[in-house]
Amino acid sequence: MASSSSSNLTFKLHPLVIVNISDHFTRVRSQSLGPSPQSNGDTASLPAPRVFGCVIGVQRGRTVEIFNSFELLFDESTQSLDRAFLLKKQELYKKVFPNFYILGWYSTGSDAQESDMIIHKSLMDINESPVFVLLNPSINHAQKDLPVSIFESELHIIDAIPQLIFVRSSYSIETVEAERISVDHVAHLKPSDGGSAATQLAAHLTGIHSAIKMLNSRIRVLHHYLLAMEKGEMACENSLLRQVSSLLRRLPAVESLKFQDDFLMDYNDTLLVSYLAMFTNCSSTMNELVDKFNTAYDRHSRRGGRSAFI
């Protein structure tokens, strides 16, 4: 249901949108293909689920820049999007990104379908010319281009009846510094030695576990040393205590009753010092005002006494 045509609009797509759609599809697919007693392990023949969401960004003249996206709820019975959820998400995103507007919607699949036009038309009250971003989740090792297509809607006369059809548009990838760093990090996580992603994830988690275990053992050694120093079993070294104090100050505060008591005590002491400083400042200002008033009163008295004397 889509045709190719040249559009006057220039589309710029950010990698964050592609990552969001891919993550959305991966999560929904993993949940739908979860382990079940009736499953025989053959999941390749099952149809891939479709996901839906909105794309947001800005339009400057004839340039449309798609920055981000968010997920939407799809009602299978009515084949429509949850309108209340969409408006709520739009309101929340408006508070964080006041310059971003809903440019259209996204979905997954190999090509645009006839049923997609119903969803497309339902968003025309938010954006009179919405954009449809389609991600093809099928793996094709021979394909070198990104499996992402951007469609616009155009009004064509078909069999003497005006109809809206999807028109494929060209786009370019636009990145900022933060996105380039993230994409480079994701690219380095790709398995390069023939190992699977699960193997690399297990190795990554194992490394984190080893680091935490080593940190815990070193903290225990330091704790035992401080206890022995407190009991007098070892000599007290002030230089080491200063290093330990400096190290502990870098750690986040622990929520406990003792911490709350110490925190409130320090907080109250700080407020007391602030109040004393404020009272001192007010007293000094008041003394200056009283001195000026006394000086003015003395001058007025002298002038009055001189006039009475004459």
Side-chain angles (χ1 to χ4, degrees):
M1 189 182 169
S3 62
S4 298
S5 175
S6 60
S7 174
N8 293 327
L9 294 177
T10 301
F11 291 97
K12 295 181 179 181
L13 184 64
H14 284 254
L16 181 59
V17 180
I18 304 176
V19 174
N20 287 343
I21 301 175
S22 177
D23 175 70
H24 188 190
F25 173 79
T26 302
R27 285 187 286 104
V28 172
R29 182 175 177 83
S30 62
Q31 293 171 4
S32 62
L33 302 180
S36 60
Q38 295 81 11
S39 178
N40 57 1
D42 185 13
T43 59
S45 59
L46 296 177
R50 296 194 68 187
V51 297
F52 301 88
C54 269
V55 293
I56 59 176
V58 295
Q59 180 174 357
R60 304 181 183 92
R62 306 299 297 175
T63 302
V64 179
E65 194 166 359
I66 306 174
F67 281 95
N68 204 341
S69 64
F70 59 85
E71 303 172 10
L72 291 178
L73 299 178
F74 184 75
D75 191 353
E76 296 287 348
S77 59
T78 59
Q79 294 294 313
S80 61
L81 300 175
D82 190 335
R83 193 71 176 188
F85 184 79
L86 168 60
L87 296 178
K88 184 62 176 179
K89 293 286 288 186
Q90 181 185 11
E91 180 183 356
L92 294 176
Y93 265 84
K94 255 315 190 185
K95 294 180 180 179
V96 182
F97 305 102
N99 298 326
F100 286 3
Y101 298 92
I102 293 181
L103 300 177
W105 62 292
Y106 73 79
S107 185
T108 53
S110 58
D111 200 358
Q113 304 177 9
E114 294 184 2
S115 59
D116 294 337
M117 185 55 69
I118 301 176
I119 303 176
H120 196 79
K121 291 180 180 179
S122 66
L123 295 176
M124 286 186 173
D125 60 335
I126 299 178
N127 191 319
E128 60 181 9
S129 182
V131 177
F132 177 29
V133 180
L134 183 66
L135 172 67
N136 187 3
S138 302
I139 299 177
N140 186 3
H141 298 285
Q143 184 179 2
K144 296 183 178 179
D145 297 332
L146 287 173
V148 178
S149 303
I150 294 182
F151 297 95
E152 298 178 82
S153 58
E154 289 186 356
L155 186 63
H156 288 201
I157 304 298
I158 302 176
D159 297 332
I161 300 176
Q163 296 182 11
L164 282 175
I165 65 171
F166 286 119
V167 178
R168 194 185 304 269
S169 301
S170 59
Y171 65 91
S172 61
I173 300 296
E174 188 77 10
T175 60
V176 295
E177 184 65 25
E179 290 176 325
R180 286 193 290 269
I181 295 174
S182 301
V183 171
D184 181 71
H185 178 69
V186 172
H188 282 82
L189 289 179
K190 182 179 179 181
S192 57
D193 55 352
S196 63
T199 304
Q200 283 206 348
L201 177 61
H204 178 66
L205 294 178
T206 303
I208 294 179
H209 179 265
S210 300
I212 295 176
K213 187 177 180 180
M214 182 180 298
L215 177 61
N216 185 30
S217 62
R218 293 184 178 181
I219 292 178
R220 285 181 178 275
V221 170
L222 186 60
H223 182 248
H224 291 323
Y225 180 77
L226 292 177
L227 289 178
M229 188 182 298
E230 183 182 8
K231 295 178 181 179
E233 298 175 359
M234 301 189 67
C236 181
E237 298 183 11
N238 293 327
S239 60
L240 180 60
L241 291 177
R242 285 193 293 268
Q243 295 179 8
V244 173
S245 177
S246 176
L247 177 62
L248 293 178
R249 292 179 185 276
R250 301 177 187 176
L251 299 177
V254 180
E255 293 292 337
S256 63
L257 294 178
K258 188 176 185 308
F259 168 75
Q260 291 292 338
D261 295 338
D262 295 341
F263 174 76
L264 290 177
M265 185 177 296
D266 292 340
Y267 181 70
N268 292 332
D269 292 342
T270 304
L271 289 180
L272 180 60
V273 173
S274 301
Y275 290 154
L276 290 176
M278 182 182 64
F279 290 151
T280 303
N281 190 15
C282 291
S283 300
S284 177
T285 305
M286 182 64 68
N287 290 332
E288 292 179 359
L289 179 61
V290 171
D291 292 340
K292 291 180 181 179
F293 180 80
N294 291 334
T295 303
Y297 180 78
D298 293 340
R299 291 180 179 177
H300 179 72
S301 298
R302 293 193 187 104
R303 290 177 181 176
R306 191 179 304 118
S307 300
F309 179 77
I310 293 174

